[in-house]
Amino acid sequence: MIGGLFIYNHKGEVLISRVYRDDIGRNAVDAFRVNVIHARQQVRSPVTNIARTSFFHVKRSNIWLAAVTKQNVNAAMVFEFLYKMCDVMAAYFGKISEENIKNNFVLIYELLDEILDFGYPQNSETGALKTFITQQGIKGQTKEEQSQITSQVTGQIGWRREGIKYRRNELFLDVLESVNLLMSPQGQVLSAHVSGRVVMKSYLSGMPECKFGMNDKIVIDKQGKGGAGDDAGKSGKQSIAIDDCTFHQCVRLSKFDSERSISFIPPDGEYELMRYRTTKDIILPFRVIPLVREVGRTKLEVKVVIKSNFKPSLLAQKIEVRIPTPLNTSGVQVICMKGKAKYKASENAIVWKIKRMAGMKESQISAEIELLPTNDKKKWARPPISMNFEVPFAPSGLKVRYLKVFESKLNYSDHDVIKWVRYIGRSGIYETRC
Amino acid sequence: VKKREIFELKAELNSDKKEKKKEAVKKVIASMTVGKDVSALFPDVVNCMQTDNLELKKLVYLYLMNYAKSQPDMAIMAVNTFVKDCEDPNPLIRALAVRTMGCIRVDKITEYLCEPLRKCLKDEDPYVRKTAAVCVAKLHDINAQLVEDQGFLDTLKDLISDSNPMVVANAVAALSEIAESHPNSNLLDLNPQTINKLLTALNECTEWGQIFILDCLANYTPRDDRESQSICERVTPRLSHANSAVVLSAVKVLMKFMEMLPKDLDYYGTLLKKLAPPLVTLLSAEPELQYVALRNINLIVQKRPEILKHEMKVFFVKYNDPIYVKLEKLDIMIRLASQANIAQVLAELKEYATEVDVDFVRKAVRAIGRCAIKVEQSAERCVSTLLDLIQTKVNYVVQEAIVVIKDIFRKYPNKYESVIATLCENLDSLDEPEARAAMIWIVGEYAERIDNADELLESFLEGFHDESTQVQLQLLTAIVKLFLKKPTETQELVQQVLSLATQDSDNPDLRDRGYIYWRLLSTDPVAAKEVVLAEKPLISEETDLIEPTLLDELICHIGTLASVYHKPPSAFVEGGRGVQHKRLPARAGSGESAESPDVGQAVSAVSDAPPAVIPSQGDLLGDLLNLDLAPPTSNVPPVPSSMQMGAMDLLGGGLDSLVGLQCSSLMVSSVLGGAPVGMPAGLGAAPAVGGGLGDLFDLGGGVGVTAGSYIPPKTVWLPAMKAKGLEISGTFARRSGVIHMDLSFTNKAMSVMTDFAIQFNKNSFGLAPAGPLQVLTPLSPNQTVDVSLPLSTTGPVMKMEPLNNLQVAVKNNIDVFYFSCQYPISLLFVEDGKMDRQVFLATWKDIPSENEAQFQIKDCHLNSDAASNKLQGSNIFTVAKRTVDTQDMLYQSVKLTNGIWMLAELRIQTGNPNSTLSVKCRAPEVSQYVYQCYELILRN
């Protein structure tokens, strides 16, 4: 298990040092500094073995967090723990910076004592930790409060404390997607996938039982079988096939595995409910049609058309098209119908920016590129044209069907909860070859 | 720390004001963190311990944990407070006390810990119990005996049934850790009931607890495929967990248990399909986790390529990936490359070859070469891509390209030689040994097509002694090849290189190779041509594959550091903790053979017919020995016995050490192959060599000995640690009817060792030294001496357990050391062990059938004649042979030195690698040892 945990500043000075195991000596602190932080070349691996001692490290801004061990530990767990440690610290005092760490070192030691015992990670949910580790010191607790704390820290719902109260029960769901595309010059999709996240902000009283439903093909098909035939055909079109998804630890995984239903008691505040990936029937918000013509050896004519492919009532934002230019470009003349376009010599590209664009529209840019004659026999490799944008819908086609809230002990019902859903689709790597 | 500072802190610590006290303790902790010594404040800090303020208490405890060890006497002062805190009504304080006490590694405190710990393990509050569970592991680390004596292990076992999932998880973690230091204890008594409890807790505990439980589950071996499937079904939901470590640990359990499922089962296919998506999802985690995931995927792809074969695209390198992620992705891309996706892969690799990072670019270039070798259809495109890259004239790209082109030439001889001219243009720019060696090999191999080959090679000769060994060896071989192809113009050159290699070099490899060439050329140039220019064996398609048994072990360690390093835990963990080798379970149906661990391991290792592996340089020696260097007996006339005897004499005279054997075989093979890859060539050419070379090949005949009677490699019997610096390794051999104990003494101490003597304890077959131990000269530090000790079988007899155990005492000027070793019983098989047919029949009938024992010999691909020949080498004689349909039955007899006869029937079915051995003997306890010998002989 983890033998010790050190936090260093960018110079390699120790800010926090907590040793859990007898086999980790004080010299381990120095070994990491000398061999990794002060190493001359770039870090080649997040795991370093120095004299039979293994060091795992992550960096947050210019702060180094290193976990040390002499055993064959679960490496994935150590990194997950280091990330969690960063999350916990950020939840307590904000940005992880040298100053914040120095100012909160007593708190950090207290946290490290609690969430890592003999090198074994323990409950590290901030919701639970904040009930008994505070920066203000412990207030007097009644016996009931004490046992409530312990049962929560060790309980099945370690991520949420009891007794949360809101005057207004409210929740926000954000479906955030990034759509990735590689398209051939002829408009053939070479690869496309969407990676999405459902982020939830919950401000709910008590211990609410939630059930989340989306247009998952497997679920819809199953329901369709039971219901009327034509209904299934209709809803089948709107459902989407999800390649894989992962859930926050609050979701009951065995229930998802058997019934494919997503049920959970949410943490309080903001968290990521699920991540997913889809590759089928993706709505590609933009189509890029490139046309490159070589006029002799010293001139290129480039014409690029972009077409928006979504409902006319919706608006895409922050559109940027990046057209690469050859290294021997001497001058560029650009004409565009909409937005602004500029040749950026340092980036070897023409950057065309459009603030807003409605659906089912088309826009065009043409450029003349003057080339310097070279005796380089190698042809220009023609890197792909890439695009950035943001659209107010989910390119995967994912729809939130419902998020039901049940809280049997308190007297508010699903209808009383105010729910907000928002969809944002952004470009990931969105490229068209030319 | 300055005295004044300490003085001030002392004053503040003893202040009446609580706030001031607390601030002072904080200052002390801050100094402690940066490594200042504040142990002088020990009594003052401990005085602050008795307080209601939890925050202050925690700070004091932190201090205590750090300094108690250096101030054990004063640490006792804290005991009372601890014991009192363990009774506190507040569960948080009880837990804090027991948690901290466990971290104080002072014997006297440990004694006081037992009673509070016992109470806390049964505390009503789960928070206290889960803390106490971990405390047992802490205490065990300090004083294992105490934990056992106090019965804490049983209490810990009870906690596996606790109602609180977190208590269960911590108990599992503690027990797993303790069990690691007692490999044979039945501590984690995993049975279907406990497994069921663990699986229930799995659904309820924290993400970390799930990891502890999954890692523990992975150590369990289900009873049958049914149980295996039902566990898999309950583990698969974990694949959707957001925590990558949970996912990887679940993958580990599934990969392991999947071994037991029959492949035709529907569920098996379902499971394979379920594994791919979560593995792909791991690649969207943070880069450090991606790295861990990729290292593991690398193993999984080697073990079960079918899982990710359609997922090539996700391993394409992204511009912003950290370098360690890029390199790992590239590795996996090569493994997944196939005809179906090669075009895409090549396009990507071409991109990568123009990146900035040198290591990455080199690897990409190498990958292009691997693609050419792996997918024949793409070879042409790969070669032209490589030529494009050579045109860039970027030095390291050119060198890397030449190294891989050499391999492409090996794979597709006479196909791409048109590019040689381009390669030769770059000769001057090569400054790395590997690239130089590759280029020299190419020049030598195609000398007849390169007009100025002699000039090219001569240019290298000038700085011969400054070259690395790799280049020197290659240059030697290349020039000899050149001479054999163009003898008229190059005689001078070849003489020059031979004299450089044999007279002016200190390197024994180079010298020996030089001498062999020299003799070959001077004795019979025609034979030399046949040997040196012999056809080369094909090179394997895959590179850098992990050796199958190691791969299986690493699969059992998925998610852990071992899987990141691609090394077994024993390679990087000190001491005995957790380094026992893990094995994959055997598939249903082959389970019964797992009587001895070695057999089981071998079975599981070969169950999936692993692809051939190109050994890396370091493994070469070992592998050569295991590779059946003697060609299949059926193709080659058996080595004449006189020659074999000659070889024995030679070997008996000091060359008999294993090192010698390895050296000579390596030498011979490299002469024959001559290619830089260093693959052993078939010995097929050997018999063609004229008699004049007889003496040379007698030497090589050392290889023949392995075909005669099998001699296990030397193993360390007495490690230097246990014998004040004397290390003894050895093996047994039967040579010309005399039993020999071949020993190597190595002096790893600082002083000279003399006066060696040896003695055996009474043993089952009366083995005793036939003469004194001949270590004539004193053994100086770091020196090794090999001794062959002839043994007689006339010593005192006492039955040993196991039967073939031998206890040995060795004395030198320092001390007497004892060790025990086991000899293969085939040592005792005498030369006149061939029974008359009639006598055999009568005896077979005469021995009661309850004395008959049956064994399975697995994965022996020999036909009956080959097996018979091999066995005869170890004095197991075939009396008769009968063939029924496709089954050959060999009736064999063996006589032991003490006159016991053993009769055996070996049934070999053509095409079936498993054969059956029935042994009948009047002393049935010997049977299983005979079986072991059969296994050993037939497999090696």
Side-chain angles (χ1 to χ4, degrees), chain A residues 161-177:
Chain A
R161 64 188 171 90
E162 299 221 23
I164 297 172
K165 278 206 178 73
Y166 287 102
R167 272 179 57 205
R168 198 158 88 135
N169 287 299
E170 197 169 18
L171 65 85
F172 300 85
L173 272 178
D174 279 347
V175 177
L176 308 171
E177 294 194 341

Side-chain angles (χ1 to χ4, degrees), chain B residues 153-443:
Chain B
L153 293 181
D154 292 323
T155 324
L156 202 53
K157 276 193 213 168
D158 293 342
L159 287 184
I160 288 190
S161 315
D162 198 279
S163 58
N164 184 294
M166 195 158 173
V167 178
V168 178
N170 276 2
V172 166
L175 275 172
S176 302
E177 179 167 343
I178 295 170
E180 268 182 12
S181 46
H182 297 273
N184 298 320
S185 72
N186 201 18
L187 201 57
L188 258 171
D189 174 30
L190 293 176
N191 55 45
Q193 287 77 36
T194 43
I195 292 293
N196 197 31
K197 278 177 203 156
L198 293 185
L199 286 169
T200 312
L202 185 62
N203 287 327
E204 293 166 350
C205 60
T206 64
E207 47 194 327
W208 314 117
Q210 295 183 22
I211 299 168
F212 306 154
I213 291 178
L214 287 168
D215 285 350
C216 172
L217 271 178
N219 290 326
Y220 176 64
T221 309
R223 284 163 309 169
D224 51 29
D225 48 326
R226 274 248 238 22
E227 190 188 5
S228 175
Q229 177 175 346
S230 89
I231 296 175
C232 286
E233 280 167 356
R234 291 176 71 178
V235 167
T236 37
R238 298 297 122 202
L239 294 175
S240 312
H241 202 288
N243 185 316
S244 307
V246 175
V247 176
L248 267 179
S249 290
V251 169
K252 164 165 57 192
V253 175
L254 297 173
M255 282 292 287
K256 202 177 163 191
F257 289 8
M258 204 154 66
E259 286 291 306
M260 290 186 70
L261 300 176
K263 283 191 165 168
D264 47 355
L265 195 71
D266 285 346
Y267 181 71
Y268 179 82
T270 320
L271 198 54
L272 275 183
K273 278 198 204 101
K274 276 194 175 174
L275 276 170
L279 288 174
V280 172
T281 301
L282 290 176
L283 297 184
S284 51
E286 289 83 347
E288 290 87 1
L289 269 173
Q290 274 188 55
Y291 174 72
V292 174
L294 286 165
R295 292 293 282 173
N296 280 286
I297 289 172
N298 198 328
L299 299 174
I300 294 169
V301 165
Q302 289 184 57
K303 181 73 191 164
R304 297 192 181 279
E306 64 270 33
I307 295 179
L308 288 166
K309 67 177 173 206
H310 299 303
E311 304 288 350
M312 167 64 92
K313 281 186 199 163
V314 300
F315 297 103
F316 285 175
V317 170
K318 290 188 193 130
Y319 185 75
N320 288 327
D321 284 336
I323 182 67
Y324 49 81
V325 169
K326 284 185 178 174
L327 291 172
E328 291 307 315
K329 280 187 172 173
L330 195 50
D331 238 4
I332 295 169
M333 278 174 69
I334 308 170
R335 295 207 195 285
L336 291 177
S338 68
Q339 203 184 327
N341 55 26
I342 195 75
Q344 268 184 315
V345 174
L346 262 182
E348 284 288 315
L349 292 176
K350 220 170 150 179
E351 290 282 317
Y352 305 164
T354 59
E355 282 232 25
V356 247
D357 190 284
V358 178
D359 284 350
F360 182 59
V361 170
R362 280 175 180 274
K363 206 164 182 174
V365 175
R366 216 163 258 233
I368 296 172
R370 293 319 304 176
C371 286
I373 289 162
K374 206 172 163 186
V375 185
E376 190 165 355
Q377 291 81 356
S378 75
E380 203 160 332
R381 267 212 308 264
C382 295
V383 172
S384 81
T385 309
L386 287 169
L387 281 180
D388 283 351
L389 291 172
I390 289 178
Q391 298 298 356
T392 63
K393 304 275 175 194
V394 178
N395 190 275
Y396 54 86
V397 174
V398 174
Q399 310 213 36
E400 210 60 47
I402 286 179
V403 172
V404 292
I405 287 180
K406 173 211 70 194
D407 283 346
I408 296 176
F409 283 170
R410 281 284 310 277
K411 169 86 180 187
Y412 310 110
N414 306 316
K415 222 172 155 185
Y416 299 109
E417 280 71 36
S418 53
V419 309
I420 292 177
T422 321
L423 302 185
C424 290
E425 287 167 20
N426 292 286
L427 205 65
D428 299 331
S429 65
L430 309 179
D431 52 11
E432 290 160 22
E434 206 183 350
R436 286 173 86 85
M439 194 61 222
I440 292 168
W441 181 85
I442 293 172
V443 174

